[in-house]
């Protein structure tokens, strides 16, 4: 297996998603609240992962723009669960050595008097390994 | 009736009101919430990836604790509930994941998702009943027009959360009616406020939360209630010009346990 296929396998196994089920209706992207901020949209994650075109996704800021709101999962008529694919790609990025998006040093600048702990723990879960 | 209770880190810090009012109101309704001993933070986000094990162990520990007491496990924070419920679902349905977790935990008896996981709202609806709740109301909140804000975490993914109709939920509206106020239904109530990116992309978070508040107001709400500390923070920080409060605060007010505590 070449590197491209290995990466595809890895993302599919980790996410538990079968991107082949996607019928390219675009409903996920239509409902996505982060649509305008994303270079690649949820339906593109499904099709690009299926075709093994994953490097551009890895290099894109889109993995950090996803709000993990699960609207795309809920509203996909084919049960594809695009949010899980996006998360699997994000993990491929932040699991690399030194690739954490956020460190403890960033925290003081993030918080104000009212910041709930939930925001900090969630940010660490999403951006840091 | 006794139930196990997972408060979570936000309710122990910034959202103390959410916690206090929840416990006191439960007492009035005949339920004692017993805090799990030495609970650990749920982590705020359920990582859907199948190869993430360690980040889910704190939830498994809480679930096992509740199982040993043969009690349901209740939480109030939308995020804790989401993480714990999804972890429980994985323990019940993903045998490979459950096997790895059980080997690691090496308890005598494996855990296979036996515990009943309840959000506080479900406890009100399914264990107390909104009709009985209504009978306990001493201070009905007449005249208040309240928009329930569900956000994402309570309802999605519905295949796991199964709390309500994910596109047309009613549980919070029923609560609003039971405490004597008028629910305001608005389209954005189950759309995302952008809370997770309030640090990463503040403009996006603002756009999303403005849309929620504007829609609630346009439909006539003079107040928004939520179960999620992050939603509340995000809506207020981005300039909501109607009050955004925890549902437990209104519940405590209606049940007459809020004033008592301020005296
Ligand atoms: S909604 Fe589902 S089927 Fe439609 S494009 Fe998105 S992933 Fe594919
Ligand atoms: S989970 Fe991410 S990709 Fe899916 S609709 Fe929400 S923001 Fe968009």
């Amino acid at each position: 297996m070449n590197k491209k296929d290995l990466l595809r396998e890895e993302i599919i196994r980790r996410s538990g998603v079968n991107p082949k089920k996607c019928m390219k209706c675009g409903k996920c992207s239509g409902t996505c609240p982060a649509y305008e901020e994303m270079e690649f949209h949820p339906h593109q994650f499904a099709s690009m992962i299926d075709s093994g075109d994953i490097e551009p996704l890895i290099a894109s800021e889109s993995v950090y723009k996803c709000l993990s709101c699960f609207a795309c999962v809920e509203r996909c008529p084919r049960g594809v669960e695009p949010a899980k694919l996006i998360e699997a790609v994000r993990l491929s990025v932040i699991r690399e050595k030194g690739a954490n998006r956020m460190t403890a040093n960033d925290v003081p600048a993030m918080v104000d008097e009212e910041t709930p702990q939930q925001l900090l723990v969630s940010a660490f879960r999403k951006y840091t390994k | 009736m006794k139930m196990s209770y997972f408060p979570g880190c936000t309710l122990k810090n910034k959202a103390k009101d959410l916690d206090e009012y929840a416990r006191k109101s439960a007492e009035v309704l005949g339920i004692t919430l017993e805090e799990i001993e030495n609970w650990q933070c749920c982590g705020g986000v359920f990582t859907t990836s199948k190869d993430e094990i360690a980040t889910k162990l704190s939830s498994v520990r809480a679930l096992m604790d509740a199982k040993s007491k043969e009690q349901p496990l209740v939480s109030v924070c939308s995020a804790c509930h989401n993480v714990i419920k999804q972890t429980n679902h994985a323990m019940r349905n993903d045998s490979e994941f459950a096997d790895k977790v059980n080997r690691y935990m090496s308890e005598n008896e494996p855990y296979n998702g036996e515990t009943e996981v309840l959000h506080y709202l479900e406890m009100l609806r399914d264990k107390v009943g909104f009709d009985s709740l209504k009978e306990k109301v001493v201070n009905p909140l007449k005249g208040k027009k309240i928009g329930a804000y569900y956000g994402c975490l309570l309802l999605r993914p519905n295949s796991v959360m199964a709390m309500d109709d994910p596109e047309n939920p009613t549980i919070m509206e029923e609560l609003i009616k039971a405490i004597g106020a008028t629910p305001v239904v608005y389209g954005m109530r189950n759309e995302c406020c952008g809370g997770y990116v309030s640090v990463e992309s503040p403009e996006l978070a603002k756009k999303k939360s403005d849309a929620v508040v504007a829609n609630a107001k346009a439909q006539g709400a003079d107040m928004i209630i939520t179960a999620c500390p992050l939603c509340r923070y995000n809506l207020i920080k981005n300039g909501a010009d109607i009050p955004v409060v925890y549902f437990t605060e209104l519940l405590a007010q209606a049940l007459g346990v809020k004033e008592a505590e301020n005296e």
Side-chain angles (χ1 to χ4, degrees):
Chain A
M1 241 193 231
N2 62 31
K3 215 178 139 204
K4 202 170 148 179
D5 291 338
L6 278 174
L7 188 55
R8 181 179 180 278
E9 280 305 302
E10 184 184 310
I11 299 285
I12 288 175
R13 205 176 47 237
R14 183 182 301 143
S15 63
V17 168
N18 174 8
K20 287 226 176 298
K21 286 200 296 188
C22 173
M23 62 179 182
K24 301 188 166 56
C25 68
K27 209 171 174 192
C28 51
S29 296
T31 198
C32 174
Y35 181 85
E36 287 161 43
E37 318 285 322
M38 290 172 107
E39 177 188 2
F40 298 109
H41 304 114
H43 74 285
Q44 290 169 296
F45 272 82
S47 62
M48 289 167 76
I49 288 166
D50 187 35
S51 61
D53 193 13
I54 296 169
E55 287 300 331
L57 301 175
I58 286 191
S60 167
E61 287 280 297
S62 302
V63 292
Y64 303 112
K65 300 295 177 196
C66 167
L67 300 162
S68 302
C69 74
F70 271 65
C72 56
V73 171
E74 204 59 60
R75 293 165 191 162
C76 168
R78 299 274 300 150
V80 175
E81 308 186 304
K84 294 187 177 179
L85 289 172
I86 299 173
E87 185 177 87
V89 176
R90 190 174 59 238
L91 285 173
S92 281
V93 180
I94 62 174
R95 279 179 183 174
E96 290 297 322
K97 195 163 179 240
N100 282 338
R101 177 76 166 181
M102 210 180 101
T103 72
N105 295 333
D106 300 327
V107 171
M110 287 167 54
V111 297
D112 56 42
E113 276 298 295
E114 301 301 325
T115 305
Q117 282 67 28
Q118 181 193 356
L119 175 59
L120 300 177
V121 297
S122 304
F124 270 99
R125 188 61 47 95
K126 273 170 72 87
Y127 300 141
T128 304
K129 264 298 133 208
Chain B
M1 203 186 324
K2 286 183 179 168
M3 296 191 187
S4 287
Y5 173 54
F6 184 96
C9 55
T10 307
L11 268 65
K12 284 291 174 180
N13 291 283
K14 292 290 173 199
K16 286 207 175 89
D17 299 358
L18 186 54
D19 176 53
E20 260 179 50
Y21 296 142
R23 291 178 197 245
K24 287 194 173 142
S25 303
E27 284 295 337
V28 175
L29 300 170
I31 294 176
T32 302
L33 295 176
E34 294 189 335
E35 185 168 335
I36 301 255
E37 254 181 73
N38 302 321
W39 57 267
Q40 299 159 329
C41 174
C42 73
V45 181
F46 178 79
T47 309
T48 54
S49 292
K50 295 187 175 302
D51 57 0
E52 281 275 328
I53 309 281
T55 52
K56 293 162 188 165
L57 294 175
S58 59
S59 295
V60 175
R61 290 192 182 100
L63 288 160
M64 291 174 100
D65 195 272
K67 180 187 165 189
S68 71
K69 296 182 186 131
E70 295 179 24
Q71 293 174 347
L73 179 57
V74 178
S75 35
V76 187
C77 169
S78 305
C80 297
H81 175 64
N82 187 287
V83 173
I84 293 170
K85 185 119 189 194
Q86 294 216 62
T87 304
N88 204 43
H89 186 262
M91 290 301 289
R92 198 179 293 173
N93 298 293
D94 184 342
S95 55
E96 201 184 314
F97 170 72
D99 183 53
K100 282 187 185 143
V101 170
N102 281 320
R103 280 171 202 276
Y104 178 81
M105 302 293 272
S106 59
E107 296 286 331
N108 293 335
E109 201 186 315
Y111 181 73
N112 290 312
E114 293 91 345
T115 299
E116 183 184 13
V117 182
L118 294 173
H119 187 267
Y120 192 94
L121 288 164
E122 291 173 304
M123 179 193 88
L124 294 178
R125 181 190 60 193
D126 305 335
K127 305 290 168 179
V128 177
F130 284 126
D131 287 339
S132 335
L133 192 163
K134 202 172 169 183
E135 287 165 18
K136 295 269 167 50
V137 170
V138 293
N139 177 19
L141 307 180
K142 283 211 177 69
K144 273 204 164 61
K145 291 192 200 128
I146 304 175
Y149 183 51
Y150 290 86
C152 323
L153 293 165
L154 280 179
L155 302 170
R156 293 194 286 265
N158 183 53
S159 56
V160 178
M161 303 310 292
M163 172 190 271
D164 208 333
D165 180 335
E167 302 298 356
N168 189 19
T170 53
I171 190 166
M172 278 207 261
E173 283 76 11
E174 281 180 56
L175 170 66
I176 293 168
K177 279 188 219 156
I179 58 176
T182 309
V184 174
V185 173
Y186 60 105
M188 295 293 288
R189 70 205 161 116
N190 63 338
E191 299 298 338
C192 180
C193 75
Y196 282 142
V197 294
S198 60
V199 177
E200 174 77 24
S201 315
E203 330 72 52
L204 174 57
K206 175 153 178 57
K207 221 186 323 179
K208 295 300 145 190
S209 75
D210 284 353
V212 171
V213 175
N215 185 223
K217 279 175 61 185
Q219 296 305 315
D222 48 32
M223 178 185 265
I224 290 174
I225 56 166
T226 174
C228 179
L230 183 51
C231 292
R232 179 168 180 267
Y233 168 77
N234 193 40
L235 295 182
I236 292 175
K237 186 180 148 188
N238 286 308
D241 48 4
I242 51 175
V244 183
V245 302
Y246 293 125
F247 74 97
T248 51
E249 182 173 342
L250 293 192
L251 177 63
Q253 210 176 321
L255 295 175
V257 290
K258 192 185 164 192
E259 290 81 359
E261 164 224 346
N262 292 338
E263 271 163 17

